[in-house]
């Protein structure tokens, strides 16, 4: 009994240490990924959910969800605020120009039409569709959507995004006894999901015209 109690105490202490370092790190990385769209934030949330799933603390998953959704929301709002300031200034916005450079013209045009038809509801899908967040944000900036209106749509979008990637992590954690196995599966799934749209676009792209044999 003494050995079991000591083991349980050690496990609780280890989990407490992981939480003390893990939650702030998750928060900072998701905020950074929202500001600089090169950090795989979906994979981070799914991995954190796997670790939380294997912990004895019952609220661990809830904390991961809260931290991820809050961090994503704050990052989105900060980036939109920076872009909106530039849109309204006479000198333009470096933030907006950088975002536009990362968005293809046809994707932006399609998103602008969707924004005109559906309004802020498009923000929810933008967070769930890989590579969909930036075109919607740029379209909102070009339309000069007020920050308050953007915030209302983005709150729901970030909650739905955090819940989706947390479910992927829970799936990975439930299939394997070891956390690292679940993390590997969750990361693989998130990268497959992220690569999906690019693969579909490549398959749909019409073949190049045959080269003129005279040249």
């Amino acid at each position: 009994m003494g050995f079991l109690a000591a083991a349980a105490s050690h496990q609780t202490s280890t989990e407490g240490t992981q939480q003390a370092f893990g939650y702030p790190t998750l928060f900072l990385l998701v905020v950074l990924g929202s500001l600089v769209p090169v950090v795989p934030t979906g994979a981070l949330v799914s991995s954190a959910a796997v670790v939380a799933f294997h912990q004895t603390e019952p609220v661990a998953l809830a904390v991961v969800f809260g931290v991820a959704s809050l961090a994503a929301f704050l990052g989105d709002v900060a980036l939109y605020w920076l872009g909106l300031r530039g849109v309204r200034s006479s000198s333009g916005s470096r933030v907006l120009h950088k975002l536009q450079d990362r968005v293809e013209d046809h994707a932006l045009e399609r998103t602008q039409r969707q924004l005109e038809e559906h309004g802020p509801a498009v923000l929810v899908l933008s967070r769930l569709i890989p590579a969909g967040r930036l075109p919607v944000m740029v379209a909102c900036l070009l339309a000069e959507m007020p920050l308050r209106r953007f915030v209302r749509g983005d709150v729901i979008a970030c909650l739905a995004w955090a819940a989706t990637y947390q479910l992927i992590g829970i799936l990975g954690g439930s299939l394997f006894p070891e956390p690292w196995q679940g993390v590997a599966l969750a990361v693989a799934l998130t990268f497959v999901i992220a690569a999906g749209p690019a693969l579909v676009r490549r398959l749909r792209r019409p073949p190049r015209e045959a080269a003129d044999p005279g040249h």
Side-chain angles (χ1 to χ4, degrees):
M1 292 295 291
F3 173 78
L4 293 177
S9 177
H10 175 71
Q11 181 179 4
T12 302
S13 176
T14 301
E15 291 179 359
T17 302
Q18 291 174 346
Q19 292 170 7
F21 289 97
Y23 295 145
T25 302
L26 175 65
F27 179 84
L28 292 176
L29 288 177
V30 173
V31 170
L32 178 62
S34 298
L35 292 170
V36 185
V38 293
V39 179
T41 53
L44 289 172
V45 175
S46 296
S47 301
V50 172
V51 176
F53 180 82
H54 284 278
Q55 290 182 356
T56 57
E57 181 61 44
V59 299
L61 285 171
V63 175
V64 169
F65 173 76
V67 169
S69 55
L70 177 61
F73 172 74
L74 293 178
D76 283 358
V77 171
L79 185 60
Y80 190 78
W81 178 76
L82 290 172
L84 199 59
R85 283 188 62 190
V87 169
R88 294 172 176 172
S89 69
S90 58
S91 60
S93 170
R94 288 186 300 175
V95 174
L96 178 59
H97 293 329
K98 288 181 180 180
L99 292 176
Q100 284 182 288
D101 290 340
R102 299 180 63 91
V103 178
E104 297 179 356
D105 292 338
H106 70 277
L108 179 58
E109 293 174 359
R110 182 177 65 251
T111 303
Q112 287 175 316
R113 291 194 301 269
Q114 294 173 345
L115 184 63
E116 291 176 358
E117 295 173 1
H118 305 290
V122 178
L123 287 166
V124 179
L125 290 178
S126 75
R127 264 284 179 182
L128 298 179
I129 298 176
R133 185 175 70 100
L134 289 186
V136 171
M137 183 170 290
V138 172
C140 291
L141 287 170
L142 294 177
E144 296 190 32
M145 178 183 291
L147 180 61
R148 183 176 300 179
R149 193 179 181 198
F150 176 84
V151 165
R152 288 199 298 265
D154 197 58
V155 167
I156 302 174
C158 291
L159 291 174
W161 170 82
T164 299
Y165 281 97
Q166 183 161 5
L167 286 175
I168 294 175
I170 293 173
L171 172 64
S174 64
L175 292 177
F176 298 100
E178 295 294 333
W180 70 266
Q181 296 171 316
V183 169
L185 177 61
V187 170
L189 286 175
T190 56
F191 277 102
V192 168
I193 293 172
L199 179 61
V200 171
R201 287 195 299 269
R202 179 171 297 183
L203 293 176
R204 290 181 176 178
R205 184 177 302 168
R208 294 181 178 178
E209 295 181 1
D212 187 352
H215 291 83

